[in-house]
Amino acid sequence: MSFPENGDRQSFCIQFRHNVLHNSSSFLGRTPSGSLVPEERDIAFMRIALELARSAEQAGEVPVGAIVVKDGEVIGRGFNAPISRNDPSAHAEMQALRDAAQFLENYRLIGCELFVTLEPCVMCVGALFHARIARVVFGARDPKTGACGSVLDLFSEPRLNHHATVTAGVLAEECGQVLSNFFAARRAQQRNEN
């Protein structure tokens, strides 16, 4: 990825993210048909999250994308942006939750679903609890930080006051391949620089 002459990576990434999330016709306003069977519906929404993951990769971020859906409509979109925003909390899920909360003008996202290409971490699951997300659908498992069953399973913790339905493994291979390709390219680039 090349950046403007002045080398202002942060400004470039912020503008790129804004353009992708708010001006791209490739996925804005697209919603899968309400007549799809549940599995096809999940796949269709996960494909939108995958498009956002690829946008994160183009911005030099780890390729994870997320959307929030309410009543079959995409109301929140996000992709990883901790590097460009200098914000460790700028995970795809957090960005999508913020976008949806702004859209609904409410921090409670009652009746909403989150679709994300990678299993959420503890921080993101905590935010999902606070937002009262009803259902979480993720693609690839995260064996290092996954909090939906891989390392921890916070959604099955009976002492917590909110629980959501979790569907794992939707387009898992494709979601995982996007991440694997990204990290393989990054390792190759580091080898070439040394």
Side-chain angles (χ1 to χ4, degrees):
M1 165 134 261
S2 61
F3 297 99
E5 290 294 320
N6 64 9
D8 189 358
R9 183 179 194 278
Q10 182 177 8
S11 294
F12 174 81
C13 289
I14 290 169
Q15 185 60 47
F16 178 85
R17 180 180 185 281
H18 174 80
N19 289 344
V20 166
L21 292 179
H22 300 288
N23 299 328
S24 173
S25 62
S26 68
F27 56 83
L28 279 183
R30 270 193 6 211
T31 56
S33 167
S35 64
L36 295 175
V37 296
E39 295 81 14
E40 291 173 344
R41 179 183 175 280
D42 288 355
I43 289 168
F45 281 126
M46 189 61 74
R47 291 212 181 281
I48 298 170
L50 269 166
E51 288 182 38
L52 287 161
R54 290 181 181 104
S55 296
E57 183 174 22
Q58 290 174 346
E61 301 277 358
V62 174
V64 178
I67 60 171
V68 175
V69 175
K70 183 172 178 69
D71 300 326
E73 300 270 342
V74 176
I75 62 165
R77 299 158 187 83
F79 60 75
N80 264 5
I83 297 167
S84 60
R85 290 184 169 238
N86 297 311
D87 177 359
S89 72
H91 288 192
E93 301 95 321
M94 302 294 275
Q95 304 288 56
L97 290 174
R98 289 174 182 137
D99 197 33
Q102 290 296 311
F103 178 82
L104 293 178
E105 297 180 343
N106 193 335
Y107 77 105
R108 295 286 197 210
L109 303 177
I110 306 295
C112 292
E113 302 168 279
L114 177 96
F115 290 79
V116 61
T117 58
L118 181 65
E119 180 179 2
C121 69
V122 171
M123 173 186 69
C124 293
V125 170
L128 296 169
F129 285 157
H130 287 290
R132 301 299 191 255
I133 290 287
R135 182 170 180 245
V136 176
V137 180
F138 70 86
R141 288 209 172 267
D142 186 344
K144 294 184 179 181
T145 64
C148 299
S150 291
V151 177
L152 298 171
D153 189 356
L154 294 178
F155 287 106
S156 68
E157 173 54 56
R159 293 174 292 179
L160 296 172
N161 70 336
H162 176 71
H163 295 90
T165 303
V166 177
T167 302
V170 175
L171 297 180
E173 189 173 321
E174 192 172 342
C175 292
Q177 195 61 54
V178 169
L179 287 159
S180 294
N181 292 346
F182 173 81
F183 287 113
R186 181 178 273 183
R187 285 189 297 273
Q189 181 182 9
Q190 289 171 347
R191 280 192 301 270
N192 290 337
E193 290 173 358
N194 292 334

